[in-house]
Amino acid sequence: MTVMETTGTRTDSCAGPPQGERRPDGEDSYTISEVVAFTGLTAHTLRWYERIGLMPHIDRSHTGQRRYSNRDLDWLDLVGKLRLTGMPVADMVRYAELVREGDHTYAERFDLLEATRRDVLARIAELHDTLGVLDRKIAFYGDAGHAYEKEKAG
């Protein structure tokens, strides 16, 4: 059972469009190595996510092997996006806990994501300023390099 399936409540779409060739729902039983290929995560990372509660309800085959679903892949895509935002792992685990707790946690989930959004916007502004500095330096060295080459040739 996935994080999203544990609530039995209305759920939002976890992530963007599906990556790669997925099996139809109902036939979507992926091994850990297939999930590694889909996501680029390591098997160690997937097991760690399970251990820390980020993905606590991974189905198992009759032999005990992990079996992931399309919903698990969607969840992992969202987790990847949250990692890119710089969200701390503890906050991601808290978000997963809130999802499992149900609809009454919408306000807390909203607050958590809104705070992350503010952090991302601040980082984008810092990166934009940094890009401006780089552009000025590149222009300077480009102009200086052309002047040097002209002087050397002339």
Side-chain angles (χ1 to χ4, degrees):
M1 186 173 292
T2 67
V3 170
M4 298 304 287
E5 291 171 332
T6 59
T7 62
T9 59
R10 192 182 105 241
T11 57
D12 62 350
S13 174
C14 285
Q19 305 291 322
E21 289 295 320
R22 291 193 183 184
R23 298 178 188 125
D25 289 341
E27 299 173 26
D28 56 332
S29 178
Y30 303 97
T31 64
I32 199 165
S33 60
E34 289 173 315
V35 174
V36 164
F38 268 112
T39 64
L41 297 170
T42 65
H44 174 78
T45 298
L46 292 169
R47 288 186 207 98
W48 181 65
Y49 281 178
E50 192 174 347
R51 234 181 358 266
I52 65 172
L54 200 49
M55 295 192 70
H57 299 290
I58 302 301
D59 285 337
R60 301 283 181 141
S61 71
H62 67 284
T63 61
Q65 293 179 319
R66 289 169 178 83
R67 294 292 182 210
Y68 296 84
S69 69
N70 287 333
R71 298 214 45 185
D72 295 322
L73 294 177
D74 289 344
W75 180 256
L76 286 168
D77 191 46
L78 174 64
V79 168
K81 300 279 190 284
L82 294 176
R83 286 182 62 206
L84 286 174
T85 70
M87 179 186 273
V89 172
D91 286 350
M92 288 187 274
V93 170
R94 179 66 185 141
Y95 180 80
E97 290 169 351
L98 292 170
V99 169
R100 286 191 299 275
E101 289 176 24
D103 291 351
H104 70 278
T105 65
Y106 277 177
E108 194 173 345
R109 286 186 251 173
F110 176 89
D111 292 343
L112 186 60
L113 294 175
E114 188 67 25
T116 301
R117 185 178 191 280
R118 282 190 302 272
D119 292 344
V120 168
L121 288 172
R123 285 193 17 239
I124 288 171
E126 289 172 346
L127 288 171
H128 189 74
D129 289 344
T130 301
L131 184 60
V133 170
L134 288 173
D135 287 344
R136 286 189 298 279
K137 289 293 188 183
I138 288 167
F140 171 80
Y141 289 119
D143 292 344
H146 291 308
Y148 175 77
E149 290 299 322
K150 238 184 191 181
E151 184 180 310
K152 192 170 104 176

